[in-house]
Amino acid sequence: MKRRAKTSIEGIVQGVGFRPFIYQLARRNSLAGYVSNTSAGVDIEVEGESEAIERFLAEVRSETPPLARITRLDTTYLSPAAYGDFHIQASVAGARSALISPDVAVCEDCLRELFDPRDRRYRYPFINCTNCGPRYTIIMDIPYDRKWTSMGKFEMCPDCAREYHDPMDRRFHAQPDACWVCGPKVWLVDAEQRPVEGEPVERVCRLLEQGHIIAIKGLGGFHLAVDAGSEAAVSRLRERKRREEKPLALMSADLATIGRYARIQPAEEAQLTDRARPIVLLEKDDPEGLIAPSVAPRNRFFGVMLPYTPLHHLIMREVAAPALVMTSANLSEEPICIENDEAVKRLAGIADYYLFHNRDIYLRSDDSILRVAAGAPRLMRRSRGFVPVPVFLEEELPQVLAVGGEMKSIVCLTKGNRAFLSQHVGDLENLETLDFFELTVGHLKRILEITPQAIAYDLHPEYLSTKWALAQQGVRLIGVQHHFAHIAGCLAENHAKGPVIGLSLDGTGYGTDGRIWGGELLIAGLKDFRRGGHFRYLPLPGGAKAIKEPWRMAVAYLLAAFGKEIPRLPFLEGADPEALRLLPEMIEKGINSPLTSSCGRLFDAVAAMCGLRTKVAYEGQAALELEQAMAWPPEPSAKPYAYQLGREDGTVILDFLPAVRQVARDVQKGVSVQEISLRFHLGVVEGLAGAASALREECGIKEAALSGGCFQNRFLLTALTERLARSGFKNVYTQAQVPSNDGGISLGQAVAAAHILRSGH
Ligand code: ZN
Ligand code: ZN
Ligand code: FE
């Protein structure tokens, strides 16, 4: 008996080869009907034998093309309409709420063609198909159609056009499709913009081998590339880029090569080869000394990625180097460069050569960074390859824009049960980044068709994002406390509602009492929170200066722990003597010494006391080096340092002064940094578990959530999750899809504001 089924599909089903997939599936099952793009996704009608329809529908789910993602599929049965054949219908205009695919690494089929001398795209640096290539970074507007992408200016040659219009071809409706004849090109120039003779890829490889710094235009922006094996080249890059300490990302041709200088666990291999191609943090293991020491000094990890554009593959196959440093081309903390002219201006004095191309990048997007910790892959920077895939929420929410914080800024827009997080915008400390922030907000509102009913912002009055939000008119403005936003984001990602005991640990966030919070135990749900406990307040002598100079925080802790006569630890030699002399008085009189409950600053103080660092080049560096210095693998019998729990107006006060006293004595006794670091970490875990348990007994809440930049500390995350489970917490929520650092707070802001909005308060 003949039947007709109408199926509506939502998800990422446009621009990913979905209609030709349906076309081929329908024909294989001898079904008539049509498939068409709609505003929400794709509509399909199939007519034929019942069995064939059932098989077809099962195959739609089981054989979905690689880039497609079905979030909803509804089928209804209708009376037969006597369709003669199966065809692809032209798109319905104004298809806007369909999801856009992220940028994806070149696929296996395209790679095979890239290196096949008989293929017409042999060695063509922009080869792509419906299963791979650029998306988000080249889309100016929707519907996703070539004319609304930066490929619009390239007119297809007859060969490409034939593929584009053939439903049986892998390049059917592949919007960025191009070839040597009709598509974008690469070219090489020197620092004075003079063209360099020869085949560009081959020339670039020789120049890299000679130690030159090359600016390479990629998918989401420019990279600066150098031979990672050459200490001279890497140091020169650091010097010129003024990025003195932060680890630099590496790219190698394949897994086997990476395996020569780093350990790859199976879960990490899966992430390295994922089509999002993030930078994955891998434990160093470099017996041959392949990688120059200054790539990632004082760090047990390398950040490594595999090639993801055809151009990368061409270079990585040709170059005689085990790895290239591939770092975002910008001065530290400025947005990544995307335009050719812009690159020349901003990279003058840094790059020796420029490998340009003329496929414009509409929206810059940095490489994403991921690591596997406590049994799960966790994003530390969510950008290229992940954006704009939404985080799916438990329930439908009103439309809200959340502007994030200041550091590692990411904005978030909600629509239905989806939270769309932007690419990494950067540290919102300068006008370049603010411009990029505004561009991103406008772009996402447009392509996602979102009209926010409210804007959520951080309470810190000095954040540029806060100032921007407060200047917006005709829309409700909702301030969301920083550490609560961390926890709400963690809950939202886990489809949890709370209430939980949220452990929100980071360096800095503006508190509701005007003080600088950062070691917080919050009783929190999705809408509001109560501060159940926090680290003991201590002065932050010199304010922002104390973040750059951890010795100041160490002295503040020592003064609190020992009184005026602080032990003369060796690190004090590294402090500015005049500043050191003035510090006790500054603290005593409360001059430029705001109070803070920061967890990050406690780590800074201990790192400084151990002599690791008196000054840092970037936030969190001292804490990171303290973690990296830990005896590894950790000695199970090591004894945690002590802590103390107190109460102030019903709030639990977690006090680590006992631990600080022990650290000081151990430093004086000459105990190794490895051991001090381990015992300190164990003490922090015990203290947090103790405080959380005290709160649990008081309020009966048996679920916990962990968030905040301090959970980038792998040991803290792993050990605390286990410890809380052992001490009777039923669920311990942690983040994976969204960073636990400030890159994740816009999600929490958005969800909290949406709940506040909905409750009518
Ligand atoms: Zn492909
Ligand atoms: Zn062509
Ligand atoms: Fe934070």
Side-chain angles (χ1 to χ4, degrees):
M1 195 190 82
K2 275 213 164 155
R3 297 182 78 190
R4 175 163 66 122
K6 179 168 178 164
T7 300
S8 298
I9 297 178
E10 289 179 17
I12 303 176
V13 287
Q14 294 184 9
V16 291
F18 201 79
R19 286 178 302 159
F21 155 70
I22 294 295
Y23 177 87
Q24 289 169 33
L25 219 55
R27 296 197 132 197
R28 198 162 84 198
N29 286 295
S30 311
L31 295 167
Y34 71 89
V35 55
S36 79
N37 281 346
T38 65
S39 63
V42 160
D43 272 359
I44 307 163
E45 281 195 27
V46 283
E47 187 171 298
E49 297 301 322
S50 274
E51 262 174 49
I53 291 179
E54 293 311 315
R55 196 165 50 234
F56 167 84
L57 289 174
E59 285 168 354
V60 168
R61 282 194 179 279
S62 64
E63 294 177 26
T64 313
L67 302 189
R69 180 159 165 193
I70 296 174
T71 58
R72 187 177 180 151
L73 186 153
D74 292 320
T75 300
T76 50
Y77 287 89
L78 309 163
S79 50
Y83 287 119
D85 63 351
F86 194 91
H87 60 278
I88 295 176
Q89 266 185 7
S91 296
V92 180
R96 279 187 175 248
S97 61
L99 299 176
I100 295 163
S101 159
D103 302 292
V104 271
V106 56
C107 73
E108 289 300 320
D109 290 330
C110 286
L111 264 187
R112 209 173 308 115
E113 292 167 353
L114 181 66
F115 290 107
D116 178 358
R118 292 157 308 177
D119 193 274
R120 70 186 188 90
R121 290 189 183 83
Y122 177 55
R123 295 181 66 81
Y124 180 57
F126 302 95
I127 189 169
N128 68 80
C129 71
T130 43
N131 299 326
C132 72
R135 295 288 188 277
Y136 180 66
T137 51
I138 61 164
I139 292 176
M140 297 183 275
D141 206 345
I142 52 166
Y144 177 54
D145 212 348
R146 188 175 178 106
K147 65 172 180 288
W148 301 116
T149 72
S150 57
M151 284 298 293
K153 66 180 182 189
F154 300 98
E155 201 180 321
M156 275 187 219
C157 70
D159 285 336
C160 287
R162 199 177 316 114
E163 296 164 336
Y164 182 89
H165 289 111
D166 176 3
M168 300 306 276
D169 196 277
R170 204 171 90 245
R171 295 191 169 86
F172 176 71
H173 281 210
Q175 307 301 344
D177 187 19
C179 73
W180 284 113
V181 176
C182 63
K185 306 251 182 314
V186 298
W187 68 96
L188 180 68
V189 300
D190 68 11
E192 275 74 48
Q193 304 307 304
R194 291 174 301 224
V196 176
E197 295 293 308
E199 202 277 308
V201 169
E202 197 251 343
R203 291 300 307 143
V204 159
C205 292
R206 299 298 88 77
L207 290 165
L208 284 166
E209 289 156 9
Q210 290 158 21
H212 291 290
I213 300 173
I214 322 280
I216 299 177
K217 187 172 180 177
L219 187 61
F222 278 82
H223 281 119
L224 287 166
V226 290
D227 177 353
S230 161
E231 179 59 28
V234 178
S235 330
R236 185 147 20 87
L237 173 63
R238 280 202 181 274
E239 226 166 83
R240 291 197 194 164
K241 211 188 158 200
R242 286 186 259 146
R243 186 187 175 109
E244 291 159 79
E245 317 273 359
K246 273 190 190 175
L248 298 166
L250 300 174
M251 181 181 280
S252 283
D254 48 41
L255 289 169
T257 311
I258 297 172
R260 289 171 63 194
Y261 61 82
R263 265 187 212 117
I264 313 174
Q265 307 294 344
E268 291 162 342
E269 179 175 324
Q271 296 303 320
L272 280 168
T273 55
D274 185 272
R275 61 181 88 88
R277 286 288 194 283
I279 296 169
V280 180
L281 299 195
L282 302 174
E283 205 173 333
K284 287 178 180 175
D285 182 15
D286 186 10
E288 297 170 75
L290 293 178
I291 306 299
S294 62
V295 166
R298 299 202 198 197
N299 203 306
R300 287 194 289 114
F301 297 86
F302 285 131
V304 190
M305 62 187 147
L306 286 169
Y308 53 88
T309 69
L311 185 57
H312 293 153
H313 281 277
L314 291 168
I315 293 170
M316 297 314 300
R317 274 211 191 181
E318 168 94 26
V319 75
L324 295 180
V325 164
M326 289 286 265
T327 183
S328 297
N330 50 2
L331 287 177
S332 292
E333 317 313 335
E334 283 181 12
I336 186 169
C337 286
I338 51 171
E339 274 164 38
N340 295 353
D341 300 350
E342 179 198 4
V344 170
K345 238 190 299 163
R346 283 173 54 197
L347 302 177
I350 302 180
D352 298 317
Y353 294 88
Y354 299 80
L355 185 60
F356 286 134
H357 65 66
N358 56 347
R359 186 181 72 198
D360 295 338
I361 298 166
Y362 181 70
L363 216 57
R364 69 191 82 220
S365 193
D366 287 80
D367 295 317
S368 294
I369 308 175
L370 183 150
R371 61 165 186 173
V372 176
R378 297 173 195 275
L379 280 165
M380 302 168 77
R381 182 200 281 161
R382 187 181 190 274
S383 204
R384 177 191 50 77
F386 295 90
V387 175
V389 179
V391 172
F392 290 91
L393 305 171
E394 167 88 344
E395 53 186 333
E396 310 246 326
L397 293 177
Q399 297 189 358
V400 167
L401 163 67
V403 295
E406 178 175 57
M407 308 297 278
K408 303 180 171 73
S409 168
I410 279 180
V411 302
C412 176
L413 286 141
T414 52
K415 183 177 190 176
N417 69 336
R418 299 155 182 181
F420 295 92
L421 292 150
S422 73
Q423 74 282 21
H424 171 76
V425 174
D427 295 350
L428 267 182
E429 290 174 316
N430 53 55
L431 286 176
E432 282 92 346
T433 321
L434 187 65
D435 286 347
F436 180 35
F437 165 90
E438 286 191 307
L439 174 83
T440 301
V441 169
H443 183 69
L444 284 173
K445 271 164 65 174
R446 188 169 67 245
I447 65 169
L448 301 169
E449 276 210 314
I450 291 177
T451 312
Q453 296 171 36
I455 298 177
Y457 62 93
D458 192 273
L459 298 179
H460 200 304
E462 292 305 316
Y463 284 180
L464 287 181
S465 60
T466 303
K467 289 180 172 170
W468 183 89
L470 294 176
Q472 305 306 304
Q473 294 182 347
V475 59
R476 183 151 170 211
L477 303 172
I478 300 175
V480 180
Q481 201 278 328
H482 188 99
H483 300 94
F484 168 49
H486 272 302
I487 298 299
C490 178
L491 292 180
E493 174 184 338
N494 285 288
H495 290 191
K497 284 191 173 66
V500 291
I501 296 174
L503 279 68
S504 199
L505 308 179
D506 64 6
T508 303
Y510 198 82
T512 51
D513 58 359
R515 288 175 178 166
I516 303 167
W517 293 10
E520 309 305 314
L521 289 99
L522 309 178
I523 314 287
L526 291 171
K527 200 178 109 217
D528 46 23
F529 76 101
R530 171 172 82 78
R531 195 185 195 196
H534 60 86
F535 282 29
R536 177 195 172 116
Y537 275 126
L538 266 106
L540 183 68
K545 215 166 186 184
I547 298 173
K548 296 205 172 89
E549 300 180 8
W551 71 265
R552 291 169 176 269
M553 205 59 215
V555 171
Y557 261 100
L558 289 171
L559 285 166
F562 291 96
K564 277 210 167 86
E565 293 306 309
I566 64 169
R568 302 298 304 169
L569 301 181
F571 83 93
L572 294 167
E573 308 292 325
D576 168 16
E578 183 60 11
L580 179 59
R581 198 177 57 76
L582 293 173
L583 211 65
E585 200 185 316
M586 249 177 94
I587 290 174
E588 202 174 322
K589 294 193 174 153
I591 304 164
N592 195 15
S593 297
L595 289 180
T596 184
S597 55
S598 170
C599 175
R601 296 294 88 78
L602 170 65
F603 276 74
D604 282 358
V606 172
M609 285 165 66
C610 291
L612 283 172
R613 247 184 214 279
T614 48
K615 289 186 181 151
V616 294
Y618 59 92
E619 219 225 336
Q621 184 181 16
L624 177 78
E625 289 181 5
L626 183 64
E627 181 200 359
Q628 301 291 319
M630 189 191 307
W632 201 261
E635 180 66 49
S637 62
K639 210 167 160 274
Y641 287 142
Y643 68 94
Q644 210 174 343
L645 287 186
R647 292 263 168 188
E648 254 171 42
D649 307 326
T651 307
V652 172
I653 305 297
L654 179 50
D655 184 352
F656 285 107
L657 289 183
V660 166
R661 288 188 197 101
Q662 287 175 297
V663 171
R665 285 195 199 104
D666 278 353
V667 171
Q668 282 179 318
K669 278 194 281 183
V671 175
S672 71
V673 182
Q674 286 83 343
E675 193 182 330
I676 294 176
S677 170
L678 174 57
R679 293 188 61 195
F680 169 70
H681 275 84
L682 291 170
V684 171
V685 169
E686 285 306 308
L688 287 164
S693 300
L695 278 176
R696 188 190 60 210
E697 258 140 57
E698 182 185 295
C699 62
I701 295 168
K702 287 203 172 67
E703 292 192 320
L706 311 183
S707 185
C710 292
F711 289 106
Q712 312 266 53
N713 182 317
R714 184 186 300 239
F715 181 85
L716 190 63
L717 176 71
T718 313
L720 189 58
T721 309
E722 276 169 26
R723 185 70 183 78
L724 289 173
R726 208 157 18 93
S727 65
F729 279 90
K730 268 198 331 213
N731 282 312
V732 182
Y733 300 112
T734 59
Q735 286 157 300
Q737 293 178 62
V738 176
S740 66
N741 59 40
D742 285 4
I745 65 169
S746 59
L747 173 62
Q749 290 173 340
V751 169
H755 278 84
I756 291 167
L757 200 61
R758 209 170 48 180
S759 71
H761 289 297

